[in-house]
Each structure stands twice: as C-alpha cells, then as structure tokens.
Amino acid sequence: MLPEVHCQKYRQFQQVVEELLALASETEGDSKTLKVKVLEMQQLFQEQILGLGIDDLDPSVASCVQSYQTEMHKQQRLLGNEVLFLQTCQQPQTRARRLAQIRERLEALSRYLVVVLGEASQEDARRSPPGH
C-alpha cells in the first residue's frame, strides 16, 4: 500500500505528464516549449518521486514501485532524446514522426502511473473489509 503522500506526488506527476501530452498533441512541434516542459517534468520526477523513498513500504509493493520508477526514468531519458531530435528536424514528415514518438513515450509514462496508482488502490481494497 502506498502512503497517501506517495499517491499525492504520483498524482501530481501524472497531471504534469497529461499536460505535456496535451501540449505535444496540440502543437505542431514547438520544440523549445516541449524541451522546457520535459526538463521541468524530469526535475519534478527526480525531486518528488525518487525522493519519496520506498524503504518504509511493504517489500512486494516496494519492488513493484521500484520497477515502475525504473521504467518511468528510462522513458523520460528517451523522451528527452526525442525532444532534442525534434529540434533538429527540418522535414515535416520527420517532425510528425518525432512528435508521434514523443506522444508514445508520454502515453507509456501515463500508463505506468495508472498502474502504480491502481496498485495503491487495489492494495487499499484488499486491506479493507468487504462491504466497506
């Protein structure tokens, strides 16, 4: 079970990811804005999510959370690379392909967050008596 403070931080991070996904979907590749927002998202992840600590969690939950944190970190690094490549794109087709890849990475991050937050909810449900 994730403590409420963890859930709040993950929800906050999830909101940033969703805002960035909307930005990547609405714009035609404003790479400067995307770069700034991705850097802000990465900083938030480093400070807020990785700073939470998982030592106090149930070992099975901690293992799951750590696995998802690793995958989220990887997606963010790849996302940063995609944004850098977007900045150098000259051809509209290449820009469109890069933007699609950026959206895919953000959607993956969003799915990971849903799972982590869902695990917290499922764990809460398992611990509470039926009918409550």
Side-chain angles (χ1 to χ4, degrees):
M1 172 172 123
L2 287 177
E4 184 56 32
V5 68
H6 286 235
C7 291
Q8 288 173 351
K9 298 294 183 182
Y10 276 102
R11 283 189 213 104
Q12 181 183 17
F13 183 68
Q14 186 177 34
Q15 182 178 351
V16 171
V17 169
E18 295 299 326
E19 289 170 3
L20 195 49
L21 183 57
L23 179 65
S25 298
E26 293 169 359
T27 67
E28 293 184 10
D30 180 2
S31 57
K32 289 180 183 179
T33 302
L34 281 172
K35 182 180 178 183
V36 168
K37 295 295 183 181
V38 166
L39 289 173
E40 289 173 2
M41 178 191 68
Q42 291 171 332
Q43 184 176 2
L44 177 69
F45 182 79
Q46 289 288 328
E47 293 172 0
Q48 300 293 320
I49 302 299
L50 295 181
L52 288 170
I54 57 173
D55 296 337
D56 298 342
L57 302 177
D58 179 84
S60 64
V61 173
S63 176
C64 178
V65 167
Q66 187 173 25
S67 294
Y68 278 101
Q69 284 180 350
T70 299
E71 288 301 314
M72 285 187 268
H73 190 256
K74 178 178 119 181
Q75 288 297 324
Q76 288 179 75
R77 284 193 328 266
L78 294 170
L79 177 63
N81 290 339
E82 295 293 349
V83 171
L84 290 175
F85 290 138
L86 178 67
Q87 290 182 298
T88 63
C89 290
Q90 301 296 321
Q91 301 296 321
Q93 292 173 331
T94 308
R95 289 184 71 76
R97 196 167 46 247
R98 289 289 176 200
L99 280 169
Q101 290 170 325
I102 287 168
R103 287 190 295 273
E104 287 174 18
R105 302 244 181 252
L106 289 165
E107 288 166 357
L109 279 169
S110 184
R111 286 191 303 271
Y112 294 151
L113 288 162
V114 166
V115 171
V116 169
L117 288 168
E119 287 291 321
S121 298
Q122 288 175 3
E123 189 68 24
D124 289 344
R126 285 190 287 255
R127 290 178 189 261
S128 65
H132 287 94

